[in-house]
Amino acid sequence: MSIKLLKNAFITALEIPENEINDQLCYSQHQQWDSTGHMILIAEIENAFDIMLDTDDIIDMSSFLKAQEILGKYEISFN
Amino acid sequence: MSPCNHSSEIQNYSVRLVPVNQENQSLLFHWRNQQEIRQKMVEQQIITQIDHNRWFLSLAHNKAQHHFVIYYKDIAIGAINIRCKVDEVLTESKVAEVGLYIADAQYRGNIIAFAPSLAINDYAFEQLNIKQLKSKVRADNIAALKYNQQLGYDLSPEVEGYIPISLNVNNYHLKCKTIKQFFNRGNRRVDKTT
């Protein structure tokens, strides 16, 4: 459930197809994931999981994989 | 010896901009000569130790430029500077140019790379009373062009392999309001694993 929510957040924020979402998807290495896309993504993730991310976590969220690790600190499980 | 011509450290948006001093100046010599940094610069020649030393000592008397080392979480990650025309005084000029590079590859492709620009742009527009920031970017440096566009810079047509860019305070505030809010949100969550 959580992984689907996270994928949907990426799909919506970055306007990319699901097949482009994998653990290697990284900020600045995909043309859609620039600073504007990143801010929209953060808002989508916060809305999807009803959380407010700390600045450090906003900065650290540099990949799809990293997003899962960070959300784990907010007690969101992807197992 | 600290030939820095300005004493103010700038701290904002999760980064510290520390004036270049005796302790950190060698970082710039090392970073600036790295090929991946040099090849993106307007001036691409290797800088000798003698030239670097001469440049560092000249900072004490150079009223047209302010140079900083960028620190994120106490790690030196790059350098940034603001400058006006050589025959002018930066604190009295209305037009200036900002230059930066992120030397640490870990942070080059990270949103933190915007933080030093936000900090120095605030410094320029709010403390130095600069009205416009102008620069030029190599036309093949797509990443830098996109980066500057996201800060609010307008791009002009290419001239001899370079793209002139310019930023006024209104466009800057309009474009960067949201990203500033994210950087200034702070850290409130307590890590329950510690």
Side-chain angles (χ1 to χ4, degrees):
Chain A
M1 180 63 179
S2 293
I3 195 70
K4 188 165 177 56
L5 281 177
L6 184 60
K7 281 188 176 180
N8 284 342
F10 272 80
I11 291 168
T12 302
L14 304 183
E15 297 183 347
I16 59 176
E18 185 172 355
N19 62 8
E20 291 186 15
I21 298 174
N22 52 57
D23 288 347
Q24 287 71 46
L25 178 64
C26 294
Y27 170 81
S28 85
Q29 292 184 20
H30 191 295
Q31 65 175 7
Q32 292 293 100
W33 196 351
D34 57 11
S35 67
T36 302
H38 189 75
M39 290 183 285
I40 297 172
L41 176 63
I42 296 299
E44 282 290 333
I45 289 174
E46 291 183 330
N47 189 49
F49 293 100
D50 194 25
I51 58 173
M52 181 170 279
L53 293 164
D54 287 341
T55 295
D56 283 354
D57 293 327
I58 292 171
I59 292 168
D60 285 344
M61 195 171 290
S62 54
S63 70
F64 182 71
L65 178 62
K66 195 68 180 175
Q68 296 170 62
E69 294 174 10
I70 289 169
L71 291 176
K73 296 192 293 181
Y74 293 79
E75 299 183 332
I76 296 165
S77 174
F78 290 91
N79 295 324
Chain B
M1 176 167 53
S2 177
C4 176
N5 60 354
H6 57 103
S7 59
S8 299
E9 179 176 307
I10 300 169
Q11 189 166 337
N12 208 346
Y13 309 115
S14 301
V15 294
R16 284 189 304 130
L17 308 185
V18 177
V20 172
N21 56 39
Q22 184 62 45
E23 289 180 353
N24 62 29
Q25 53 84 16
S26 61
L27 289 171
L28 273 69
F29 174 65
H30 172 68
W31 288 338
R32 184 63 173 77
N33 279 331
Q34 291 178 342
Q35 184 177 359
E36 57 193 349
I37 301 296
R38 272 192 300 120
Q39 66 188 14
K40 301 294 185 184
M41 296 291 154
V42 172
E43 302 294 336
Q44 298 188 337
Q45 72 278 13
I46 289 178
I47 298 169
T48 66
Q49 184 72 66
I50 291 174
D51 285 342
H52 172 77
N53 292 345
R54 186 179 299 128
W55 167 81
F56 174 62
L57 293 174
S58 75
L59 288 182
H61 311 290
N62 191 333
K63 297 185 185 303
Q65 304 183 13
H66 292 178
H67 289 259
F68 304 86
V69 175
I70 303 163
Y71 288 83
Y72 173 58
K73 292 187 174 180
D74 294 327
I75 300 170
I77 66 170
I80 192 166
N81 68 81
I82 182 169
R83 61 181 69 193
C84 63
K85 289 182 180 177
V86 294
D87 56 347
E88 294 181 357
V89 177
L90 185 58
T91 53
E92 298 170 1
S93 183
K94 298 305 176 191
V95 180
E97 175 180 355
V98 171
L100 90 155
Y101 56 82
I102 301 296
D104 191 326
Q106 176 185 357
Y107 297 106
R108 201 173 299 146
N110 187 292
I111 196 145
I112 194 65
F114 282 92
S117 289
L118 296 176
I120 208 160
N121 288 355
D122 283 1
Y123 174 65
F125 291 129
E126 296 170 13
Q127 295 190 43
L128 298 179
N129 201 28
I130 299 291
K131 300 302 181 190
Q132 189 178 44
L133 295 173
K134 299 174 77 170
S135 188
K136 64 179 180 181
V137 177
R138 294 176 66 86
D140 59 357
N141 195 344
I142 305 301
L145 291 169
K146 190 173 183 182
Y147 173 90
N148 285 299
Q149 279 184 302
Q150 291 174 81
L151 286 169
Y153 275 89
D154 290 320
L155 274 54
S156 296
E158 180 178 337
V159 177
E160 296 180 356
Y162 291 92
I163 304 292
I165 62 173
S166 62
L167 178 66
N168 63 53
V169 61
N170 290 335
N171 282 357
Y172 169 61
H173 287 316
L174 201 65
K175 198 77 172 177
C176 294
K177 180 180 178 183
T178 304
I179 193 172
K180 285 185 176 186
Q181 289 172 343
F182 278 118
F183 276 121
N184 280 339
R185 183 183 286 185
N187 299 305
R188 285 154 294 178
R189 190 190 61 82
V190 175
D191 191 342
K192 295 182 180 177
T193 61
T194 58

